[in-house]
C-alpha cells in the first residue's frame, strides 16, 4: 500500500522530504571526500617511498635545488590527485550501477486496494 500524506500535512511532508534529501547528499559527499583524502594520503606515501637516495632522478633533483624538487613534488601531487579522483569516480559508478540493477526489481505499479 503506498504511503500518502494527508492534505493538511503536505507542507510538512515536503519539508521533511527536502531535509532528508539534503542530509543524505551531504553525508554522501562527506563519505566520498573522506575516501578521496585517504586515497591521496596513501598514494602520496606509497609513491614517496619509491624514491631512494640511489635513484638517479632523485639525486639530479636534489642537485638542482628547490625548483627541481618543487617541480617533481607538483607533478607527483597532480598524479596522486588524479588517481584518487579516479578511484572516487569508480566507487560512484559502481554504486550507480548497483542502484540501476536494484531498480529493475521494484514493482512496476503499486497495487491500490479499494475498500469493499
Amino acid at each position: 500500500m503506498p504511503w500518502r500524506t494527508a492534505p493538511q500535512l503536505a507542507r510538512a511532508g515536503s519539508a521533511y522530504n527536502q531535509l532528508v534529501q539534503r542530509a543524505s547528499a551531504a553525508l554522501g559527499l562527506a563519505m566520498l571526500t573522506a575516501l578521496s583524502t585517504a586515497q591521496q594520503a596513501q598514494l602520496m606515501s606509497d609513491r614517496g617511498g619509491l624514491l631512494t637516495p640511489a635513484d638517479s632522478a632523485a639525486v639530479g633533483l636534489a642537485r638542482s635545488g628547490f625548483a627541481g624538487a618543487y617541480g617533481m613534488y607538483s607533478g607527483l601531487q597532480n598524479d596522486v590527485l588524479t588517481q584518487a579522483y579516479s578511484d572516487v569516480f569508480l566507487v560512484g559508478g559502481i554504486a550507480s550501477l548497483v542502484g540501476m540493477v536494484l531498480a529493475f526489481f521494484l514493482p512496476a505499479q503499486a497495487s491500490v486496494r479499494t475498500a469493499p
Side-chain angles (χ1 to χ4, degrees):
M1 184 167 154
W3 181 74
R4 296 185 186 205
T5 306
Q8 66 271 20
L9 298 176
R11 288 186 183 183
S14 176
Y16 181 72
N17 186 22
Q18 186 172 3
L19 175 71
V20 170
Q21 285 178 347
R22 298 275 171 102
S24 61
L27 289 175
L29 180 61
M31 288 181 358
L32 290 176
T33 302
L35 175 67
S36 174
T37 303
Q39 281 294 102
Q40 285 178 356
Q42 185 64 47
L43 288 169
M44 187 64 97
S45 175
D46 290 345
R47 292 191 182 184
L50 293 175
L51 292 176
T52 63
D55 189 12
S56 61
V59 171
L61 288 173
R63 289 185 184 149
S64 65
F66 176 76
Y70 180 75
M72 186 184 84
Y73 175 75
S74 178
L76 178 64
Q77 194 171 18
N78 285 338
D79 290 343
V80 164
L81 182 67
T82 302
Q83 183 64 40
Y85 282 175
S86 171
D87 293 343
V88 168
F89 281 120
L90 180 67
V91 167
I94 290 172
S96 297
L97 186 63
V98 167
M100 281 192 325
V101 169
L102 291 177
F104 285 118
F105 295 109
L106 290 174
Q109 245 182 357
S111 60
V112 179
R113 295 183 190 183
T114 58

